[in-house]
Each structure stands twice: as C-alpha cells, then as structure tokens.
Amino acid sequence: MDSPEVLVAVSNPDHVEQLVRTASDLARVVDGGVRVVSVVVKSHDSPFGVFSDETIIEEYSGDRQAMLDRASGVVPDDVPVDAEMFVARSPEDGLLRAVAELGPTALVLGWHGERRRSGVVLGSSVDAVLRRAACDVYVERIGRIADGVDAVLLPVAGGPHVRPAAAMAKAVAAANDASVTALAVATPEDGSDAAAEWAAGGRAAVEAAPGPSVEVTAAVREADDATDALVTAADEHDLVVFGATRRGTLQARLVGSIPREVAERSGQTVLIARASEAARTGLRGLVAGFRRG
C-alpha cells in the first residue's frame, strides 16, 4: 500500500467492528488505508515453537484468517484495506514488529478498561506499545460503542499529545457530521489563563488536523477537581478523545491518571492518544520532559 497506513490490531472477533471503524475514520482523512494486523503468539515453551512462522500461520493460526477477513469487510469501500498476521513471542512484540516493518502513521488497539495489578497502567501489552511504538498510538476502550456520534469531547491541557488527539477527534466528527469541543479545566492549581490557552490550542489543533472542516469550539470550565469536571462533561458528549497527560505517578505518566479515571467513571466511549514524538524520546526522555513541564 503506497498511501499512509493506519494499523488496527485485532485479537477478539467481538471487538473488530469498533476498532476497525475508528481506524477507518482516521485513514479516510489522511487519504490513507487500513491494514488489519493480528499477532499469533509463539511462546518460548510452546510445542509449535520449532516451526517456521509461515507454517504456524498456515497450520496453527486457528480462525484468525476468518477474523481478518471479517475485519476487512468492516472497512468502508472508499478506504483501501489490507490484512496481515505476525508471529511473535508476545502480542506487544508482534505489534512493535508490525510498526517497525510497515512504518504506519498510526496504530489503533483496544483496552479492556479493568483495574490492573500495581505498576501496570492500561495492561502490560498496551503499556509496552505505548512506550515504544514509533507512530501515533490510539487506545480505545472496548465494549462501549457510541450509538451515533453528535458531539466529541477533546479534553486539553497542553503537551505533544494534543496533536494526535485532535486529529482523531476531527476524523470521527467528520465521519459523523458531529461537532468537537476542546475543553480545558481551570483548577485552582492551573488557573484560568492557562486553561484558556490550552482550550485555544486544542481548537487550533483540530482546525489544523487533516480532513474536512468540522464545527469546533474552545471552552473552559472552572472546577476544584479536573477529573470530576471531565466526567460531567463526558456525559454530555458521545465520544471522549484524550491526549496522554503528564499527571500522576511515574507509571501513570504513560497516559496520565485523569484519562484512565474518567474512562472508568464515564459511560461514554473513550480514546487515548499518544504522540509518535513521545516514543522517539524513550522513557528516560519522557521523564525528563515531564520534570521540566
């Protein structure tokens, strides 16, 4: 595929439609295509570990080809689509290899949203991809599908992840003739001037993102607690697209504690975006950047 590609990772047939639909919206606005990828795990102690990747795909991939075919059928006719299986020692290894070999503009993958063990933010595989994938990454909480999209919420608080979050918000809005609200919360800690600047920056990021024009407004809400304010705002919209933030503990800085908490408390569909630039700096660079922020 010569055009820009949006990879979408699928592993469960029940979640195919939700993830592929999101990837297709983004691919359309960048005049690109969708490549559906699925990872066949060949663990170190697996009895078929001695076989070649080609043999494993042909003989031991189960119903994955049927799932890829089904996923490809979800992609709209005006968006090019391809599909591919990767064999790897773990799901994260397979997805990182796919990104390295294919060089996509973005990767979309799912997140179950359950509470994880200490030290894990969204899931061990998702965390690893967020740290290392050299492209924009979008993590969508699976299982809560927007029943039509009229209004998209884009919470903003500055930083590099606003760009990919704004791009996805605009892509979904364009596909559904919906509006986007770039919302910043003015807490006693952050102040109204900073919040107004973030909101204006979010609106500008939406306007600058690829794709047709959409209705976008900048808004500021004053509140003592940003998470409470965003949960309320989320309930007034159909979809929430976060950029990863710098708040929270060292591990939570992968995505920030606020997006995860809003996702857990809200009934809306939630996407979290992480910019490709963050991966290039590496974890040590991220920590240094957050300390400067």
Side-chain angles (χ1 to χ4, degrees):
M1 193 180 296
D2 296 330
S3 54
E5 281 192 325
V6 177
L7 300 191
V8 53
V10 297
S11 60
N12 186 325
D14 294 339
H15 309 143
V16 160
E17 182 174 357
Q18 179 180 0
L19 297 174
V20 172
R21 190 172 62 181
T22 299
S24 299
D25 288 347
L26 185 62
R28 181 183 287 114
V29 297
V30 298
D31 292 327
V34 169
R35 186 180 294 264
V36 186
V37 296
S38 189
V39 177
V40 181
V41 175
K42 180 176 65 175
S43 61
H44 291 281
D45 56 354
S46 170
F48 61 70
V50 298
F51 299 124
S52 67
D53 290 357
E54 292 76 14
T55 300
I56 292 171
I57 289 174
E58 291 176 2
E59 304 291 338
Y60 302 103
S61 59
D63 59 359
R64 286 182 182 273
Q65 186 57 55
M67 181 174 62
L68 292 180
D69 293 341
R70 177 184 167 191
S72 298
V74 175
V75 178
D77 293 339
D78 63 332
V79 178
V81 60
D82 207 339
E84 189 170 350
M85 276 185 271
F86 284 81
V87 178
R89 296 296 184 184
S90 66
E92 59 268 32
D93 285 350
L95 293 179
L96 291 169
R97 178 184 157 200
V99 169
E101 293 185 3
L102 301 172
T105 186
L107 168 67
V108 176
L109 67 160
W111 162 46
H112 289 273
E114 305 97 355
R115 278 284 183 184
R116 300 284 180 172
R117 68 181 187 274
S118 177
V120 176
V121 183
L122 299 182
S124 56
S125 296
V126 175
D127 287 3
V129 173
L130 281 168
R131 286 192 186 97
R132 296 165 56 191
C135 66
D136 292 345
V137 178
Y138 296 95
V139 181
E140 182 169 3
R141 183 175 57 176
I142 57 177
R144 299 188 182 186
I145 306 174
D147 183 18
V149 177
D150 295 320
V152 179
L153 179 64
L154 175 68
V156 289
H161 310 291
V162 171
R163 176 192 57 75
M168 180 60 82
K170 185 175 186 178
V172 175
N176 293 275
D177 195 21
S179 62
V180 178
T181 300
L183 175 66
V185 179
T187 63
E189 176 187 4
D190 294 323
S192 57
D193 289 345
E197 182 178 342
W198 293 337
R203 179 177 61 189
V206 172
E207 292 171 342
S213 297
V214 299
E215 179 184 346
V216 55
T217 58
V220 173
R221 289 191 183 185
E222 295 188 2
D224 292 333
D225 186 279
T227 303
D228 289 345
L230 292 175
V231 170
T232 299
D235 290 341
E236 300 164 357
H237 296 75
D238 305 301
L239 170 69
V240 185
V241 185
F242 279 101
T245 72
R246 67 191 181 203
R247 296 172 185 271
T249 64
L250 176 62
Q251 287 296 321
R253 282 169 178 158
L254 277 173
V255 296
S257 58
I258 291 178
R260 186 182 61 188
E261 291 179 27
V262 172
E264 291 174 348
R265 293 170 55 188
S266 169
Q268 307 302 343
T269 302
V270 173
L271 274 158
I272 300 172
R274 192 233 61 192
S276 58
E277 302 92 287
R280 294 194 189 103
T281 62
L283 184 57
R284 184 173 298 177
L286 275 175
V287 172
F290 291 135
R291 285 173 175 166
R292 289 194 296 270

